[in-house]
Amino acid sequence: MVPRSPSVNEELRRRSQTRLLEATVELVDEHGYEATTLADIADRAGAARGLVSYYFPGKRQLLQTAVHRLMHMELARGLEREPRPEGEETGRELMARAIDAILGLARDRPRLMRTHMAGILTAEGFIQCPEQQRLAGLLRDTVTRYGSEDPETDYRLLRALLMGAVVAVLLPGAPMPPERLRAELFHRYGLDWQLGLPPGDEPPDGSHAGVN
């Protein structure tokens, strides 16, 4: 039997990790964090149970990586959606798409995103991983194309604003409407309401968006 090449082995590892990350997102979204076990994730992914621990040090790290991958992919899809923006409005359109992509996850996958945000606020905190770095790279590129003269600082500010908006959408007992938060973020960045994927023809009453 001919041994597999390093490139083939690497591709097999990548596919195994992808299946585990996708299974994690699916199961936590369906059943919640506490009710989802590493064995459940392995079974859903069709992987050996020991493989989960081989790739990830624990369930919390696995979940953060899985959600960062989901956020990265959703953001990339939003930014690359046709028609591609061109001309002077490109940077503002991309910023609008970035805001809509992240708020859309909070709106459409509340259990998953609430669990993710709760994990970030635990003692383990924010876990650096390749998927998080890919997400960060897209956001840095977005603020750069928006016109930032200090992309690193402005990326961190955008990240903080988006995290705050997600928490506000998901706050148990006192959630804020994502449309209102979108309007506030659009006002902060001087974006017209019709950019990105507007949820309606006009911003909600009592809010503002865009520039005068």
Side-chain angles (χ1 to χ4, degrees), residues 21-31 36 44 109 112:
L21 294 171
E22 291 174 345
T24 300
V25 164
E26 293 170 3
L27 288 168
V28 172
D29 211 13
E30 293 169 11
H31 307 296
T36 299
R44 175 69 66 91
R109 310 189 80 154
L112 178 70

Side-chain angles (χ1 to χ4, degrees), residues 130-190:
E131 293 294 344
Q132 187 275 327
Q133 293 300 316
R134 294 184 183 99
L135 173 62
L138 285 180
L139 289 174
R140 283 193 191 92
D141 182 65
T142 297
V143 298
T144 298
R145 299 183 70 179
Y146 173 74
S148 170
E149 296 180 357
D150 186 358
E152 182 59 29
T153 298
D154 289 339
Y155 149 68
R156 292 177 182 275
L157 176 59
L158 176 61
R159 184 182 68 186
L161 291 170
L162 290 173
M163 288 176 66
V166 168
V167 170
V169 171
L170 302 174
L171 189 64
M176 285 194 67
E179 295 82 8
R180 179 61 182 267
L181 291 162
R182 181 186 195 266
E184 293 298 323
L185 286 168
F186 271 42
H187 178 71
R188 167 67 177 76
Y189 287 101

Side-chain angles (χ1 to χ4, degrees), residues 7-25:
S7 62
V8 170
N9 287 330
E10 179 61 29
E11 177 62 17
L12 291 174
R13 285 193 292 269
R14 187 193 66 78
R15 291 181 183 180
S16 294
Q17 291 181 14
T18 296
R19 289 197 301 271
L20 291 170
L21 294 171
E22 291 174 345
T24 300
V25 164

